[in-house]
Amino acid sequence: GAGVSQSPSNKVTEKGKDVELRCDPISGHTALYWYRQSLGQGLEFLIYFQGNSAPDKSGLPSDRFSAERTGGSVSTLTIQRTQQEDSAVYLCASSLSGGGHSPLHFGNGTRLTVT
Amino acid sequence: KQEVTQIPAALSVPEGENLVLNCSFTDSAIYNLQWFRQDPGKGLTSLLLIQSSQREQTSGRLNASLDKSSGRSTLYIAASQPGDSATYLCAVSSVGTGNQFYFGTGTSLTVIP
């Protein structure tokens, strides 16, 4: 596709359930980022993938959060045992190359609501 | 750690007015600075990217400048239109921590017809 695709666009889940969020980056983009945007706050970095290198997980807020990227393309962000404070918009971005040298292209995000 | 600030948090202007949005950052060792717009319920759309070696970039009615030594960037919007109403965010990519971009909290712009 022409842009970064995220699914689902909206997710409502009960506290304690696990959720999976999906990101399809732009074809050929080697770098992939996950960010979280909470109401009234800036974007919070979560995790970064670059090619086949080990991901930078320094932004993950707890061990309930994990992410993988299969075949250097599609990425899945998993949140286990969701809490109400996990409610936010989760944004995925990709760029042609990593290291912060190329512009970011964002998807429309997944709005997660934990009840 | 890099900190990015955007002032003002909100701005309301009449249609046709020229306006300037401000972005400041604390660490001048950057690779680049990028301006985005975000419409309600949507992701971020890239507007302009300025490499650290550049002073400005232009696209249509938009002009972004960068003064790396003072840690500042401005986004100039000429002849504003109601369709320009959105939140504008800036982000910097810092040397040494290039794996992440640091974002400001944005300026919410309303252009009144």
Side-chain angles (χ1 to χ4, degrees), chain A residues 22-67:
Chain A
R22 178 186 168 102
C23 173
D24 275 290
I26 294 173
S27 178
H29 280 196
T30 63
L32 187 148
Y33 305 76
W34 283 98
Y35 280 85
R36 177 167 71 174
Q37 187 175 34
S38 302
L39 190 63
Q41 299 187 19
L43 272 74
E44 175 189 6
F45 168 76
L46 297 178
I47 189 169
Y48 161 81
F49 296 90
Q50 169 57 39
N52 295 320
S53 302
D56 177 356
K57 304 179 182 180
S58 61
L60 294 178
S62 78
D63 59 7
R64 296 186 295 104
F65 288 72
S66 63

Side-chain angles (χ1 to χ4, degrees), chain B residues 3 38 44 76 97 99 111:
Chain B
E3 293 184 3
Q38 185 175 31
L44 279 67
Y76 174 83
T97 58
N99 292 346
V111 180

Side-chain angles (χ1 to χ4, degrees), chain A residues 1-5 23-32 69 71-74 94-97 105:
Chain A
V4 177
S5 178
C23 173
D24 275 290
I26 294 173
S27 178
H29 280 196
T30 63
L32 187 148
R69 188 179 185 190
S73 181
V74 172
S94 69
S95 64
L96 187 60
S97 64
H105 300 267

